[in-house]
Amino acid sequence: MEAFRRKTGDPWKVFEDEIPSCSLRHTGQEIGLQDELSLEHLQLLWERFSRPLTPTTSTFSVGRPCGETVASHPRPGGEIMDRGTMRGESPEGSMGLEEFRAALRIMPGSEHWLSDTDKLFDEVDTSCEGRICWAEFCSYILQHALQRSSKDKARDDTLTSQPLIRHCRYNKQEPVICIVAVSQPPPLRFISVSKAGVLSVWSKHLHLLKTLELVGDPIEGGNIRGKFRSWATDAVFMPNVHKLAVATLGRELRFFDVSPSDCTEELHVFGLSYAVTSMCYWYDAKSPGDRSLLMWGDEKGFVNLLWFLRPLKGLFDIPFSDQEGPHRLYMQELPPNSHLVTYQQLCRVQQEPINRIKYNSQGELIMTSSESATSSVVIMDLNLRRESYIWKINKGVTSFDFCPELSLLVTCGLDPAVRLWNRYVTSQPIATLHGHDTTVLDVAIHRTLGKIFSYSKEAVLKIWDIPSQLCVRTLQLKFPCVKPGLTPEHGHTPFLLHRDAPHMLLVTCRDFLGCLHLQEEGSDNTPTSFTCAIYNPPLKLVVTACTDSSLVVWDAETGCRTLEVRNAHGEEEITCMALDHTHRHLLTGATNGTIKAMHLLIEKNFKVIVVYGLLSPQMWDLLNGHNLHKMEAVSNTEVTGVICFPGNRLLAVGWSKQIVQYSIPDPNETYVRADLSWKSGRQHRDDILAVAHCRLRRLLATGSFDREVIVWSLDTEEPLTKFHWSPPEQAQGAVDGLLFLQGRAQSGQWVSRPLLLSAQAGYVCWWSITGPPHCHGQYYAPQRAGERVVAFSSDQDNSVLLTGDTTGFLHMWDISQYCLGTSDEPTEERPPLLQSWKAHDGAVVCVELVESHTQLYLLSAATDGTARLWTRDGGAVGTFGQEVGWRLDDVTTYQNAREEKSQQASEEEEEEGKEEGAGKGTRDSQSEAGRYEAKEDGQVQRAAMAAQRQRSNECYDDLIVEGNVPDSEELLFSQDSMVSSHSGFTSSCKSPAQNTLTVSPAPHTAADQCQGKMASRQIRRQTFGRIDPKKLSLMDNLCTPFQALIMPELSPVSEVPLRPQMLERVRWFSSNTTLTSPLLSSNSLETASVPDAHTEGSDSPPHSPVLL
């Protein structure tokens, strides 16, 4: 340990080097008890806290009749809990659980709160003391109200981590003027330039790699470099040539060669016309060898262009020299016709020093800004062929950014406002964003995220949403140099937005750097491979750990994500998790030896996690991002197991081959040293891979890579026994897991019976603490050879054992009677297998038995990135994070129930289709039979219809003969009478809707509905099956079968007999009209043949004439 301390130097440096964590809350919309408490309820509670209730009997006049008593409530054990039973005498102004129940019960509407009272009390009682005070209750209600109110606001996930702060301790307390990103050659680095000329090279995680200081001019007569006596003003990186250009107030440019391992000064260009105040660099990324441009603005407002014609061959014509150090080049002596470089100075575009200069290659535009009110921002053509755009802004501009895709210009100035401008409109801004209190120093546009970043003088960073023009995030960067009432000093370019992957935002404040990670493009919330998982019974939460060092908290009742912690251990993989005895602290270990403890202050709607660091850990509150504890690291190797004991004591094991203890006597203590005083010292000769704890017998078991298992006594810290398993041939016997049977530990025969299980090379071995023999049995659990069991669990009474292997299978074994015999020979028989199913595509890393709503469920997590919940018989409840959640108290919401319901519906549809096809054939045969049976009846009915038509024709002829033309009403009456005369026929042809109604129960299934449809169709076919389609009346190509039933049959007419009265009328019409119709002409009428039998006095009625 001392050697490790000497090697590392600073034991807390590991926390400074890792990426800060960030928590994302996923809240639901459920309404809890805390949401239903009104102001009146809070006032009554305040009175009860002032004079707490006794749970036995109390009398109140508020909320219930006077004199009514409040009954006491027994504890689960049966005894009555009075004040002070939880923790001695009750403090003044505090309540226990029973008092809290009684206080809420007397309030209006409390009948709906009984189920949530205990939950609310546990959430407020964060210290687990069994009592809460009014201040704690108010703090909880205020935090919950704040969380609920923020749900309606726009959620911003742009920042994925808390700021990582670094101190540039070599800057000589001078501010950082700018920071540049060096992406070529890889890897990504950042170089900060201080005002005093100190260059610091940082990794992408802001680890300091190298420092370099600018030096002055050589002393006359020698090569000794003097002290740098000027100030650096700006710097820019030249990616295609791997150079860094630094400008100073001494009217010079310094060029540095940047390589992955070094940064050296190569060229010193001096003698510029004016001091450089801002620079930018452009090159063609598709053709890096083509000409590139270094552009700068100076203190007089001029724009200077330095074209590098062949940058890959060299920047300047440098003659050979034996001079040590960088080559010096006088700017005024540049050859005018050089084949490598040309220099050009444009006209004066600003009246003040240029503070920003940018170049847009698409339109060949040069954009500059200054603090001048007459030319705040100027956009001009590179070739000076087009008119310039000039923005005149009061008090000038301190910085700007331009997005050509959006044609959006964003400016900031001395006033606390951010303005958005159209590229072609200089008169007024599109929008003005207010929110800062002091001068805004810098702005930047991130087009992909649709955000604008602004940074003010008081170290406040704001993120604005471009479409809505709203501030979605405000972050006060807590730099140590920021003091209340004092304005810190900032450099020329206070932050850098790195738009390429990884997306980062670097902010400077005096001699400090801050790094914030941004959301990646196309990033989603899909978890990566899981390494372990754990269930919290009191809070009904499932916590999963991922290989990308993230933690996800799930609600076991619904399967929804409630909270996500990113970069919990920086970028290190999380290897193990454990809960303390209060189930309020979650401990996690990682591959770099760090252990962190998380304090769970979680409820269904407001979920907060406080993370403590142990072993090499830190403790931080994810509610405000502050670290609470940091503890000493004993090794930089993997932590494989953590055990928590009462009294804030911890125990950790891992590849360090030793047992390390920690104790936190003072919760306010920030730094805690490791305790290596384990009495037995280091007993394992190889890496410790597993650990288990027997609470009742105070035993500890550890297993190592060399197949050795040691059982320890926690009282004496001495080993009680050691096991060494001999595996079969070609099997690696490393201990993959250990499990104490807590239920058997309560038995009086635990000494002689197996109490400890170990998973080694796929075998489950059963060990007793005393012996011989120690091994009572072993069996191979996986279905295929060569697999391993990496996770197993048992219920409280040890009646079943659940194992998960590397193939993704889960096996449930009946171990209620396994290895309970007195035989001295170990058995190799398997216990009865209850269930076995394929649960995951990857290796199962965690299995747990979960008890909820008096039912037993199975929790499993695997390396394929899925965590699932199962019923005891292997039915799938669902996958955590699925689109449609579940409710454990509703079986119909389970995944297997939904699948069975869907399958049953599809089967019913298939059966309905088959029945409909069979019914169609039956209906056809029945309709044919109906036609044959009704043939004779149809003949009789047609004869009756013919007689009725004859009588109707006689009536119609009488109307014509009398010289009366029937109007529409008479014709309608005639038709009605004709229909009524056939009432005997039509009554037998009524539709099912016209028949006498019979009440029948509505069909309840698809089969009943199908049978009803078949019956109605059969009735219609039997009724109308004898209709002759050749005799149907056609109306617009549509047949009307009901009209055909009452329509008389028409026979062809060869001769039309006419009476003398009709002939006289026809002759009169023919002589008095000009009609030439052959049917109405006198010739045709005279030539018409009249039968001899027809006379004026004949009794036989004439046929009705056909008039056209």
Side-chain angles (χ1 to χ4, degrees):
M1 179 61 189
E2 295 299 331
F4 179 77
R5 288 175 179 174
R6 291 193 299 268
K7 181 179 179 181
T8 57
D10 185 5
W12 324 117
K13 188 176 182 299
V14 62
F15 303 103
E16 297 179 359
D17 294 342
E18 72 179 18
I19 300 176
S21 65
C22 177
S23 61
L24 301 177
R25 301 183 184 92
H26 304 265
T27 56
Q29 297 293 335
E30 300 87 355
I31 303 299
L33 169 57
Q34 56 275 15
D35 299 303
E36 298 183 3
L37 293 177
S38 63
L39 182 58
E40 179 184 357
H41 296 148
L42 295 178
Q43 290 176 347
L44 294 176
L45 276 178
W46 176 73
E47 295 178 2
R48 303 302 174 260
F49 272 101
S50 301
R51 45 187 181 86
L53 293 167
T54 57
T56 54
T57 57
S58 299
T59 303
F60 298 104
S61 60
V62 180
R64 60 177 60 247
C66 180
E68 186 173 345
T69 60
V70 180
S72 61
H73 293 265
R75 298 179 63 184
E79 69 274 10
I80 300 296
M81 181 190 297
D82 55 23
R83 291 180 59 186
T85 54
M86 297 296 294
R87 218 168 172 70
E89 295 298 329
S90 62
E92 185 68 23
S94 65
M95 285 188 185
L97 177 59
E98 293 297 331
E99 296 169 321
F100 189 68
R101 289 175 179 172
L104 290 179
R105 191 174 295 109
I106 66 174
M107 297 183 181
S110 61
E111 60 273 7
H112 306 292
W113 300 347
L114 298 180
S115 60
D116 296 335
T117 303
D118 295 357
K119 185 192 303 181
L120 177 61
F121 184 88
D122 292 337
E123 292 165 358
V124 177
D125 183 21
T126 58
S127 60
C128 303
E129 295 180 352
R131 303 195 69 83
I132 60 175
C133 64
W134 176 247
E136 294 175 340
F137 184 79
C138 288
S139 298
Y140 173 82
I141 293 297
L142 289 175
Q143 289 178 342
H144 176 76
L146 178 63
Q147 178 69 15
R148 294 290 294 186
S149 64
S150 63
K151 288 182 180 180
D152 299 332
K153 298 180 181 179
R155 178 191 168 106
D156 180 69
D157 295 338
T158 305
L159 302 180
T160 61
S161 68
Q162 294 295 324
L164 177 63
I165 307 298
R166 289 288 185 267
H167 181 219
C168 304
R169 52 182 178 271
Y170 298 102
N171 278 15
K172 303 177 182 179
Q173 297 184 351
E174 294 290 344
V176 177
I177 61 165
C178 68
I179 183 169
V180 296
V182 179
S183 57
Q184 298 294 334
L188 175 65
R189 288 146 294 155
F190 299 100
I191 299 179
S192 63
V193 181
S194 72
K195 189 176 181 179
V198 178
L199 280 64
S200 301
V201 183
W202 308 84
S203 67
K204 65 178 182 178
H205 302 311
L206 288 193
H207 299 161
L208 185 61
L209 303 177
K210 182 182 178 60
T211 60
L212 180 66
E213 186 175 357
L214 297 180
V215 295
D217 296 333
I219 301 177
E220 296 182 1
N223 295 328
I224 302 176
R225 305 295 297 273
K227 183 179 179 181
F228 179 70
R229 301 182 182 276
S230 183
W231 282 351
T233 57
D234 200 5
V236 65
F237 179 62
M238 307 163 67
N240 60 331
V241 293
H242 304 167
K243 297 290 191 295
L244 176 70
V246 180
T248 69
L249 285 180
R251 298 187 301 167
E252 56 186 5
L253 294 174
R254 307 285 188 97
F255 293 88
F256 293 82
D257 180 66
V258 180
S259 65
S261 59
D262 200 1
C263 180
T264 57
E265 185 176 0
E266 285 189 344
L267 185 63
H268 181 188
V269 179
F270 63 97
L272 304 180
S273 301
Y274 302 101
V276 178
T277 55
S278 181
M279 290 193 301
C280 73
Y281 182 77
W282 171 85
Y283 75 102
D284 189 356
K286 298 180 179 179
S287 301
D290 292 348
R291 69 173 188 169
S292 58
L293 174 64
L294 178 62
M295 181 185 309
W296 69 85
D298 56 33
E299 57 184 346
K300 295 298 183 179
F302 290 96
V303 174
N304 302 266
L305 308 179
L306 196 61
W307 291 95
F308 299 108
L309 306 180
R310 300 177 181 177
L312 298 184
K313 293 186 177 181
L315 300 181
F316 297 93
D317 297 318
I318 302 176
F320 177 79
S321 174
D322 295 335
Q323 179 182 354
E324 297 180 0
H327 295 277
R328 291 175 53 82
L329 182 62
Y330 185 49
M331 187 66 180
Q332 305 300 329
E333 295 181 354
L334 285 179
N337 298 322
S338 174
H339 65 285
L340 294 179
V341 61
T342 60
Y343 171 72
Q344 180 184 4
Q345 186 180 65
L346 301 182
C347 60
R348 187 176 185 180
V349 297
Q350 295 285 354
Q351 303 301 320
E352 300 286 341
I354 297 176
N355 50 31
R356 291 290 187 277
I357 185 170
K358 296 180 182 295
Y359 178 70
N360 181 17
S361 60
Q362 297 178 359
E364 294 186 343
L365 301 176
I366 300 175
M367 296 169 283
T368 62
S369 67
S370 69
E371 296 184 4
S372 173
T374 58
S375 58
S376 303
V377 178
V378 177
I379 297 181
M380 58 181 297
D381 182 30
L382 175 64
N383 301 315
L384 303 178
R385 297 175 181 175
R386 290 173 290 179
E387 185 178 357
S388 300
Y389 288 84
I390 301 176
W391 279 263
K392 299 179 181 180
I393 304 174
N394 187 25
K395 298 183 181 180
V397 167
T398 57
S399 179
F400 75 93
D401 197 9
F402 176 69
C403 179
E405 293 82 2
L406 302 176
S407 295
L408 180 64
L409 177 69
V410 180
T411 64
C412 62
L414 296 178
D415 56 343
V418 177
R419 293 178 175 86
L420 279 61
W421 305 82
N422 185 284
R423 154 74 175 83
Y424 302 99
V425 179
T426 62
S427 57
Q428 60 182 3
I430 300 173
T432 303
L433 309 179
H434 298 281
H436 287 284
D437 297 328
T438 57
T439 299
V440 182
L441 300 176
D442 209 347
V443 291
I445 303 174
H446 200 298
R447 185 184 63 85
T448 305
L449 299 179
K451 299 293 188 295
I452 296 175
F453 298 86
S454 61
Y455 181 65
S456 68
K457 211 169 186 179
E458 56 184 1
V460 173
L461 176 69
K462 285 185 176 292
I463 304 177
W464 310 83
D465 183 59
I466 295 179
S468 63
Q469 300 173 5
L470 296 176
C471 179
V472 296
R473 185 75 177 271
T474 299
L475 184 62
Q476 173 67 63
L477 299 177
K478 298 185 179 299
F479 291 106
C481 59
V482 177
K483 304 296 181 182
L486 299 177
T487 302
E489 185 179 1
H490 296 273
H492 174 262
T493 307
F495 72 55
L496 168 70
L497 179 60
H498 189 251
R499 295 177 174 85
D500 299 330
H503 302 285
M504 303 169 68
L505 180 66
L506 287 93
V507 187
T508 66
C509 181
R510 197 177 172 181
D511 53 346
F512 286 89
L513 299 179
C515 177
L516 298 99
H517 290 263
L518 306 181
Q519 181 182 5
E520 298 293 335
E521 298 180 17
S523 61
D524 53 13
N525 295 328
T526 304
T528 57
S529 176
F530 289 144
T531 58
C532 52
I534 197 168
Y535 174 67
N536 190 318
L539 300 179
K540 299 186 184 305
L541 296 173
V542 174
V543 185
T544 56
C546 307
T547 55
D548 61 352
S549 194
S550 63
L551 293 171
V552 183
V553 183
W554 312 88
D555 186 0
E557 297 286 334
T558 61
C560 299
R561 185 195 311 250
T562 60
L563 189 138
E564 181 181 358
V565 182
R566 300 177 180 175
N567 304 117
H569 288 261
E571 292 184 332
E572 299 295 333
E573 177 182 334
I574 300 175
T575 56
C576 61
M577 292 193 298
L579 289 171
D580 71 337
H581 69 287
T582 64
H583 293 86
R584 296 299 184 95
H585 300 85
L586 174 69
L587 294 92
T588 60
T591 54
N592 63 344
T594 60
I595 304 175
K596 301 180 180 180
M598 307 173 63
H599 180 54
L600 302 178
L601 302 176
I602 300 186
E603 49 100 359
K604 293 297 182 185
N605 296 324
F606 182 64
K607 306 196 181 289
V608 183
I609 290 188
V610 184
V611 181
Y612 305 77
L614 308 174
L615 196 75
S616 60
Q618 58 187 4
M619 175 192 286
W620 67 86
D621 185 348
L622 292 183
L623 182 62
N624 52 28
H626 291 172
N627 292 341
L628 302 180
H629 287 282
K630 293 183 178 181
M631 301 186 186
E632 184 182 13
V634 298
S635 174
N636 56 2
T637 56
E638 181 174 326
V639 178
T640 56
V642 180
I643 303 294
C644 194
F645 302 101
N648 293 330
R649 295 180 55 249
L650 308 171
L651 181 147
V653 299
W655 289 6
S656 61
K657 308 174 187 178
Q658 56 186 337
I659 299 176
V660 184
Q661 302 178 84
Y662 294 90
S663 178
I664 312 176
D666 185 6
N668 297 322
E669 186 177 357
T670 304
Y671 298 98
V672 179
R673 289 283 184 178
D675 182 10
L676 299 179
S677 62
W678 189 259
K679 293 182 180 180
S680 301
R682 182 183 299 181
Q683 294 287 330
H684 283 283
R685 296 183 298 270
D686 213 330
D687 300 338
I688 300 177
L689 303 182
V691 63
H693 173 222
C694 182
R695 297 183 298 273
L696 184 62
R697 302 302 173 184
R698 292 189 56 77
L699 299 176
L700 183 73
T702 56
S704 60
F705 184 79
D706 58 358
R707 304 189 299 273
E708 185 180 38
V709 178
I710 301 179
V711 180
W712 310 78
S713 171
L714 292 175
D715 296 327
T716 62
E717 299 180 359
E718 295 288 341
L720 297 179
T721 183
K722 296 183 179 181
F723 312 137
H724 198 278
W725 182 64
S726 299
E729 296 182 359
Q730 298 179 354
Q732 183 181 1
V735 180
D736 295 319
L738 294 171
L739 175 66
F740 273 107
L741 300 178
Q742 307 290 345
R744 294 194 180 187
Q746 301 176 1
S747 174
Q749 301 178 355
W750 68 274
V751 177
S752 59
R753 291 181 176 179
L755 186 63
L756 178 66
L757 305 184
S758 66
Q760 300 175 248
Y763 286 85
V764 179
C765 305
W766 296 65
W767 307 92
S768 64
I769 304 304
T770 61
H774 288 296
C775 183
H776 288 250
Q778 65 180 24
Y779 65 92
Y780 188 76
Q783 294 182 346
R784 297 188 308 187
E787 303 296 336
R788 295 160 46 212
V789 173
V790 293
F792 51 3
S793 179
S794 181
D795 57 347
Q796 293 182 356
D797 55 357
N798 300 137
S799 60
V800 296
L801 177 68
L802 184 65
T803 61
D805 56 32
T806 52
T807 61
F809 271 86
L810 294 182
H811 301 82
M812 181 179 288
W813 313 87
D814 183 5
I815 60 171
S816 58
Q817 302 298 324
Y818 191 72
C819 288
L820 294 181
T822 58
S823 175
D824 294 339
E825 295 296 329
T827 179
E828 295 186 358
E829 295 182 358
R830 288 186 171 189
L833 181 62
L834 302 178
Q835 297 287 342
S836 177
W837 68 94
K838 178 76 171 179
H840 299 275
D841 295 332
V844 179
V845 296
C846 170
V847 290
E848 277 203 39
L849 294 169
V850 176
E851 185 175 356
S852 178
H853 301 283
T854 67
Q855 298 293 330
L856 192 63
Y857 300 90
L858 313 179
L859 169 66
S860 64
T863 56
D864 59 0
T866 59
R868 295 190 172 101
L869 198 64
W870 311 85
T871 59
R872 183 166 183 171
D873 57 356
V877 176
T879 302
F880 287 94
Q882 65 185 19
E883 183 177 356
V884 180
W886 63 78
R887 296 195 308 272
L888 284 185
D889 56 350
D890 188 359
V891 183
T892 59
T893 61
Y894 295 177
Q895 179 179 344
N896 58 347
R898 291 197 301 266
E899 292 176 353
E900 291 176 0
K901 185 177 180 180
S902 176
Q903 183 178 1
Q904 183 179 2
S906 61
E907 292 177 355
E908 290 178 355
E909 290 179 358
E910 293 178 359
E911 293 178 359
E912 181 180 353
K914 294 179 181 179
E915 292 177 357
E916 186 175 356
K920 182 178 180 180
T922 305
R923 291 192 301 271
D924 292 342
S925 61
Q926 290 178 351
S927 62
E928 292 295 334
R931 290 192 184 96
Y932 287 113
E933 291 174 358
K935 183 176 182 180
E936 296 179 357
D937 295 338
Q939 294 175 356
V940 175
Q941 293 169 354
R942 283 194 294 272
M945 291 176 63
Q948 179 63 27
R949 288 196 301 271
Q950 184 72 13
R951 290 191 295 269
S952 300
N953 293 336
E954 292 176 358
C955 297
Y956 189 83
D957 288 345
D958 292 339
L959 294 175
I960 299 297
V961 170
E962 294 175 359
N964 299 325
V965 180
D967 54 10
S968 60
E969 294 181 357
E970 292 176 343
L971 184 60
L972 181 62
F973 173 79
S974 176
Q975 293 176 351
D976 291 341
S977 63
M978 185 166 54
V979 173
S980 63
S981 65
H982 294 82
S983 60
F985 173 75
T986 57
S987 62
S988 64
C989 300
K990 288 181 181 178
S991 64
Q994 295 172 332
N995 290 331
T996 304
L997 296 178
T998 58
V999 179
S1000 60
H1004 296 284
T1005 62
D1008 295 339
Q1009 296 177 358
C1010 181
Q1011 292 178 1
K1013 293 178 180 179
M1014 293 169 57
S1016 63
R1017 291 175 182 174
Q1018 184 175 356
I1019 293 174
R1020 288 197 299 270
R1021 285 185 175 274
Q1022 291 177 356
T1023 303
F1024 307 115
R1026 54 181 171 271
I1027 297 176
D1028 190 355
K1030 298 180 180 180
K1031 300 179 181 180
L1032 294 180
S1033 175
L1034 297 179
M1035 297 181 180
D1036 294 335
N1037 296 327
L1038 295 177
C1039 296
T1040 57
F1042 290 99
Q1043 184 68 19
L1045 294 178
I1046 61 175
M1047 190 173 182
E1049 294 185 0
L1050 299 178
S1051 58
V1053 179
S1054 58
E1055 296 178 355
V1056 181
L1058 298 177
R1059 292 182 181 183
Q1061 296 86 350
M1062 296 179 63
L1063 292 174
E1064 291 296 333
R1065 293 176 65 87
V1066 170
R1067 291 190 184 98
W1068 184 83
F1069 279 112
S1070 299
S1071 61
N1072 291 278
T1073 60
T1074 56
L1075 295 176
T1076 57
S1077 174
L1079 293 177
L1080 298 178
S1081 62
S1082 58
N1083 296 332
S1084 62
L1085 291 174
E1086 290 177 355
T1087 58
S1089 61
V1090 180
D1092 297 337
H1094 177 65
T1095 61
E1096 185 178 356
S1098 178
D1099 295 331
S1100 59
H1103 291 281
S1104 300
V1106 178
L1107 300 180
L1108 299 178

